[in-house]
Amino acid sequence: ASYTISIRRNNIVISSDTIASNQFIVFDDIVQLAVGDYVEVFASESTSAGAIDSEISFLEITQVGQNLGTGISSWSAFSGARTYITNSFNLTTTPTAISYDGTVYDQNADVLGTLYWTAVNDTRITVKVDGYYRVKASLTTSDAGSNDSYSISLQKNASANLEQTTIGPSATLLLDEIYNLTTDDYLEIYVDNSDSTGSLANTAYIEITRLGV
């Protein structure tokens, strides 16, 4: 048996995947919506005998950032960014901060220019106002030798380890935490590989959203 799950906007598929029985799937993405758009989850099962567990299945949608327009110059209006890599990121045994090369959104850009993430400091996301921030990230390792290990750490200001873990090849790490950050704090993700042969897939991203804006 197989289950096909899709997310649709205005009945047009924007994301879809197929899984086996007794598995779960998580969709977590940023989508630009217009007034009147609607989002639905569709599911089908190959033998017409399956079911979706009603106790743990849910759909959540949250507005990210504000519609700032122009002319707002207060840092307190800024609310977040999501950056990603477009090519695989090669690793060595030396912990190296991931360099990002694009953004899905960056709410600073609407006002005083991009300051959460810049090409000048392409490893960093920097906050410009004190507050609580939700930090989300996804990292998938390559299928390098089975004895490899990948050490991953989320660091604040290149000194404080906020989170640290080790995973194996062909594995995915999902991070979703809330931190109290102060003005000009910056976050980076450092990664190394135990025998210098591994890499991260080009699906890696980090997202920061200010809470309570």
Side-chain angles (χ1 to χ4, degrees):
S2 63
Y3 294 74
T4 299
I5 316 294
S6 64
I7 305 294
R8 300 189 186 187
R9 175 183 58 203
N10 304 335
N11 206 31
I12 297 175
V13 175
I14 58 176
S15 187
S16 181
D17 207 347
T18 299
I19 59 176
S21 57
N22 296 315
Q23 292 185 341
F24 70 92
I25 190 167
V26 176
F27 290 100
D28 188 352
D29 209 347
I30 303 294
V31 179
Q32 187 170 7
L33 300 175
V35 174
D37 284 350
Y38 60 91
V39 178
E40 298 173 296
V41 181
F42 280 70
S44 62
E45 198 270 332
S46 59
T47 66
S48 299
I52 302 296
D53 193 327
S54 63
E55 297 299 319
I56 58 175
S57 302
F58 67 91
L59 170 65
E60 175 186 351
I61 183 169
T62 304
Q63 183 178 355
V64 177
Q66 303 178 83
N67 184 12
L68 299 178
T70 59
I72 301 176
S73 59
S74 170
W75 290 119
S76 63
F78 294 166
S79 50
R82 177 167 173 167
T83 70
Y84 59 88
I85 61 175
T86 57
N87 297 291
S88 60
F89 189 75
N90 294 324
L91 303 169
T92 67
T93 55
T94 301
T96 304
I98 299 173
S99 298
Y100 305 98
D101 49 21
T103 60
V104 177
Y105 69 95
D106 186 339
Q107 284 303 113
N108 277 9
D110 290 343
V111 186
L112 297 178
T114 300
L115 290 172
Y116 272 90
W117 176 89
T118 69
V120 175
N121 293 310
D122 60 5
T123 65
R124 303 179 180 181
I125 288 185
T126 304
V127 306
K128 303 305 295 183
V129 62
D130 296 358
Y132 286 93
Y133 290 83
R134 184 178 187 181
V135 179
K136 301 170 68 176
S138 175
L139 306 173
T140 299
T141 59
S142 71
D143 60 356
S146 60
N147 293 325
D148 284 6
S149 62
Y150 294 76
S151 297
I152 302 169
S153 64
L154 174 67
Q155 294 192 15
K156 180 178 72 174
N157 303 335
S159 58
N161 276 332
L162 299 179
E163 303 290 338
Q164 191 168 16
T165 191
T166 299
I167 61 176
S170 300
T172 298
L173 173 68
L174 298 176
L175 173 72
D176 189 346
E177 297 288 346
I178 295 173
Y179 302 104
N180 187 5
L181 303 174
T182 59
T183 299
D184 292 331
D185 280 348
Y186 62 89
L187 302 180
E188 297 173 299
I189 296 179
Y190 283 79
V191 187
D192 64 78
N193 173 267
S194 60
D195 69 359
S196 298
T197 63
S199 64
L200 296 179
N202 61 2
T203 54
Y205 72 84
I206 183 171
E207 172 187 330
I208 184 170
T209 305
R210 185 179 171 215
L211 302 180
V213 177

